[in-house]
């Protein structure tokens, strides 16, 4: 978690951004002001960013792009940077990139997010779903593909080793000596991991559906339950509302973010949430979790 405040920063919390590191590459979710500083502070390599997924174009979620794309240019980035933003708002992002005629000589692609799968990579895909906020906003689901895990003892006893693993993976079977061994006999299915990034929004049925059984739900909790009227009016969530969603969707862990600057102490948010869903953490900048 790179930035865990909402609307305005505090001394402790920067503006929204989260990074998923997967296979040595970095995928950013939102890019609030100061995100590049937080990346430096928390050891997230700027040159490894492949794609950025923007939830919506409120300033607190996008202003950091202006600085980040320039630093990438100064670092002699060559490879394409892809930025996803709710369809129709591509121009807003392009303006942030070109406003001062900075020389950005690597390709920046700005793509419109719509519901469904928007990004595919080896090993995972990212899909988007609509949220309920003041302007068009999307939540993102990062979903790893299901995999097969080799049963070490069984492979050893059957003499499968070295390059044979690749062969059996590609062909679905292998012949060792005179014996034909199918991949299903030496592997166990391993469900892919899933992580959701959901901010800013009221509680949504679309989130509940996308989050079913997820390993980690990163969800906004701008307010405590006592401020529910404010949450409704500004189209945000309370900690208890986020927890209820986590419980309904049976996720494994809930990570609260986009905390209003009014909460110097987040114990209240934590107790609102844990009354309903036990495995909740209120994120801090720099908070890291392995899924
Ligand atoms: Zn916000
Ligand atoms: Zn917003």
């Amino acid at each position: 978690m790179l930035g865990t405040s909402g609307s305005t920063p505090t001394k402790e919390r920067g503006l929204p951004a989260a990074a998923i590191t997967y296979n040595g590459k970095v995928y950013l979710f939102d890019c609030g002001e100061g995100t590049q500083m937080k990346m430096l502070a928390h050891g997230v390599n700027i040159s490894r960013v492949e794609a950025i997924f923007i939830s919506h174009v409120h300033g607190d979620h996008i202003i950091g792009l202006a600085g980040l794309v320039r630093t990438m240019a100064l670092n002699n980035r060559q490879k394409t940077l892809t930025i996803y933003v709710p369809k129709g708002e591509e121009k807003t992002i392009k303006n942030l990139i070109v406003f001062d005629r900075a020389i950005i000589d690597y390709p920046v692609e700005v793509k419109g997010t719509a519901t469904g799968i928007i990004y595919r990579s080896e090993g995972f895909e990212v899909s988007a779903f609509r949220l309920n906020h003041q302007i068009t906003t999307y939540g993102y689901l990062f979903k790893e593909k299901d995999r097969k895990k080799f049963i070490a003892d069984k492979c050893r006893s059957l003499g499968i080793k070295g390059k044979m693993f690749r062969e059996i993976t590609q062909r679905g079977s292998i012949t060792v000596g005179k014996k034909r061994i199918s991949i299903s006999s030496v592997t166990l299915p391993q469900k892919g991991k899933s992580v959701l990034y959901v901010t800013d929004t009221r509680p949504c049925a679309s989130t509940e559906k996308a989050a079913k059984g997820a390993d980690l739900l990163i969800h906004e909790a701008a307010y405590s339950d006592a401020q529910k009227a404010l949450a409704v009016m500004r189209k945000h969530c309370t900690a208890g509302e986020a927890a209820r969603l986590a419980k309904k969707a049976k996720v494994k862990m809930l990570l609260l973010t986009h905390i209003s600057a009014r909460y110097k102490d987040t114990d209240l948010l934590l107790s609102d949430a844990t009354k309903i869903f036990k495995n909740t953490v209120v994120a801090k900048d720099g908070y890291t979790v392995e899924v």
Side-chain angles (χ1 to χ4, degrees), residues 19-44:
I20 293 181
T21 305
Y22 188 85
N23 274 349
K25 291 176 178 168
V26 174
Y27 303 88
L28 272 186
F29 292 81
D30 282 339
C31 192
E33 182 187 341
T35 295
Q36 58 172 333
M37 294 279 289
K38 294 286 181 177
M39 293 175 82
L40 293 170
H42 301 297
V44 179

Side-chain angles (χ1 to χ4, degrees), residues 60-61 200 258:
D60 56 331
H61 295 252
D200 303 352
H258 203 282

Side-chain angles (χ1 to χ4, degrees), residues 130-144:
R130 277 296 284 272
L131 298 176
N132 175 14
H133 189 44
Q134 302 152 18
I135 57 172
T136 307
T137 304
Y138 283 91
Y140 292 106
L141 166 63
F142 183 105
K143 195 173 187 322
E144 191 186 26

